[in-house]
Amino acid sequence: MKHSTEVPSVASMSGILSRYSSSRLWRQIIKGRYIYLLAMPGFLFLFLFKFVPMWGLLLAFQEYNPFKGLMGSQWVGLKHFTDLLNDANFYRMLRNTLLINLFGLIFYFPIPIFLALMVNEVRHEFFKKINQSIVYMPHFLSWVIIASMTFFILSTDIGIVNKLFTSFGIAPIPFLTQSQFFWGLITGQTIWKEAGWGTIIFLAAIAGVDPQRYEAAVVDGASRFRQIWHITLPAIRPTIVVLLILRLGHMADVGFEQILLMMNPLVREVGEVFDTYAYTQGILRGKFSIGVSIGLFKGLVGLVFVVSANYIVKKLGYEGIY
């Protein structure tokens, strides 16, 4: 009786491994089917609203004509980007966009951390939940309501603040029409609306701190401030770093609705940003290609900030986002 001494070919071995890997993958998918089902809406949202619309970036390299369509429009290469860089308003928009975001980075970003630390120190559970609900509520108000509230508080004729000034013999101050107040108003609105909502991630990070570390600190006689400084803050430092890097990725992006509602001709010099310019050119004037090129330019600026910040953070010894 002869025994076969043939060695399986590379192709057959590859097929066997491929079938084994495929069956193993399907077993894993079936095993975790409920987790994948739970994540499916998020994946569908990303695919439909983030990846599918990316074909529209081609408009930035065309003189897009809606009647001719994407394939029939004339290709112009980098013309819209050079026109944007040579625009007389470009550096003014760049200055306004970066400074508004810089104000937010300096004055807004630390506040959710501080609020999260303060809320975490509240020991009465019911009172803690009440405080959380109060600071979360402004997030659910639209910018139209926020702008209206600002008008009724700070306007010259019917504003509550100026009425108080008048009652004390002080001349009304035109907060809404003087350029020196504009960036402060935008930053103040953002803090009031979003600071409470921003505490959610930090509170989740604080909840993951090992309670035994606090118990050991109490045994050593550490005060509440010492516990926050030496235990809580170092524990949530990775979360702070990651959120800081992601925040830098939006340095070229300013809330369009907020700026549009708060801007008027008297403050346009400090209020015109890339978002409002894209709206004016792309929507109001029908220059869709210019609007898309501005959006792509903003994305590239954000990418530069993220990569640079991640590189610096890693050089400082912290863990970046990739």
Side-chain angles (χ1 to χ4, degrees):
M1 183 176 179
K2 293 183 178 181
H3 295 279
S4 175
T5 58
E6 294 182 0
V7 179
S9 65
V10 175
S12 62
M13 288 295 295
S14 177
I16 294 172
L17 292 175
S18 177
R19 288 193 296 271
Y20 174 75
S21 300
S22 178
S23 61
R24 185 180 179 183
L25 175 63
W26 278 109
R27 285 199 300 269
Q28 290 178 348
I29 292 176
I30 293 173
K31 184 178 179 180
R33 58 188 179 276
Y34 295 115
I35 297 176
Y36 290 114
L37 186 63
L38 183 66
M40 185 60 67
F43 284 117
L44 288 175
F45 173 82
L46 288 174
F47 179 75
L48 294 175
F49 297 101
K50 299 297 182 180
F51 288 99
V52 173
M54 289 182 70
W55 68 269
L57 295 177
L58 295 175
L59 271 66
F61 308 97
Q62 291 183 325
E63 196 64 57
Y64 180 70
N65 188 327
F67 299 102
K68 294 182 179 180
L70 182 64
M71 303 307 297
S73 299
Q74 178 186 359
W75 292 89
V76 295
L78 300 176
K79 176 181 179 298
H80 297 304
F81 294 97
T82 56
D83 290 344
L84 175 63
L85 294 175
N86 294 324
D87 192 295
N89 297 320
F90 173 76
Y91 291 103
R92 183 181 68 179
M93 294 185 296
L94 182 64
R95 178 202 65 186
N96 295 340
T97 302
L98 293 180
L99 285 178
I100 289 173
N101 279 294
L102 184 62
F103 270 64
L105 194 65
I106 295 173
F107 297 105
Y108 164 71
F109 185 79
I111 291 181
I113 303 173
F114 177 77
L115 278 177
L117 294 173
M118 294 300 99
V119 171
N120 185 64
E121 292 302 309
V122 177
R123 291 292 173 259
H124 195 285
E125 195 63 28
F126 178 76
F127 185 63
K128 182 177 181 178
K129 291 181 178 179
I130 290 290
N131 279 298
Q132 286 181 280
S133 299
I134 291 174
V135 297
Y136 292 166
M137 284 177 62
H139 171 78
F140 299 99
L141 299 177
S142 70
W143 281 115
V144 175
I145 296 176
I146 303 297
S148 300
M149 292 171 61
T150 306
F151 177 79
F152 283 112
I153 293 174
L154 298 177
S155 64
T156 306
D157 48 358
I158 62 173
I160 298 174
V161 173
N162 278 313
K163 284 187 175 181
L164 287 175
F165 286 168
T166 304
S167 64
F168 287 105
I170 303 174
I173 301 174
F175 293 103
L176 303 179
T177 56
Q178 288 193 359
S179 58
Q180 62 263 36
F181 298 118
F182 186 78
W183 293 340
L185 285 175
I186 296 298
T187 306
Q189 287 178 333
T190 303
I191 291 173
W192 185 80
K193 186 177 188 295
E194 301 295 348
W197 186 255
T199 63
I200 293 177
I201 297 178
F202 296 112
L203 284 171
I206 292 173
V209 181
D210 188 358
Q212 293 182 355
R213 300 177 64 181
Y214 293 107
E215 294 172 2
V218 171
V219 172
D220 291 339
S223 63
R224 297 302 303 176
F225 178 78
R226 287 293 181 182
Q227 293 176 41
I228 293 173
W229 186 258
H230 294 288
I231 298 176
T232 308
L233 281 177
I236 67 173
R237 188 177 297 152
T239 303
I240 296 174
V241 170
V242 170
L243 291 179
L244 177 61
I245 294 174
L246 295 177
R247 180 69 181 82
L248 289 172
H250 293 277
M251 285 298 288
D253 188 18
V254 183
F256 165 73
E257 296 178 22
Q258 180 188 15
I259 300 295
L260 185 67
L261 291 168
M262 293 301 299
M263 192 168 59
N264 57 71
L266 296 176
V267 296
R268 185 170 296 276
E269 181 67 25
V270 295
E272 186 76 52
V273 293
F274 289 118
D275 297 270
T276 55
Y277 186 75
Y279 170 73
T280 303
Q281 298 294 324
I283 304 298
L284 299 183
R285 298 185 180 179
K287 299 179 180 179
F288 303 106
S289 295
I290 296 178
V292 174
S293 63
I294 294 172
L296 185 56
F297 172 79
K298 288 167 47 184
L300 293 175
V301 172
L303 177 63
V304 170
F305 271 102
V306 168
V307 173
S308 302
N310 190 72
Y311 176 79
I312 295 172
V313 163
K314 285 189 171 182
K315 284 294 183 181
L316 294 176
Y318 298 103
E319 185 177 353
I321 60 175
Y322 62 88

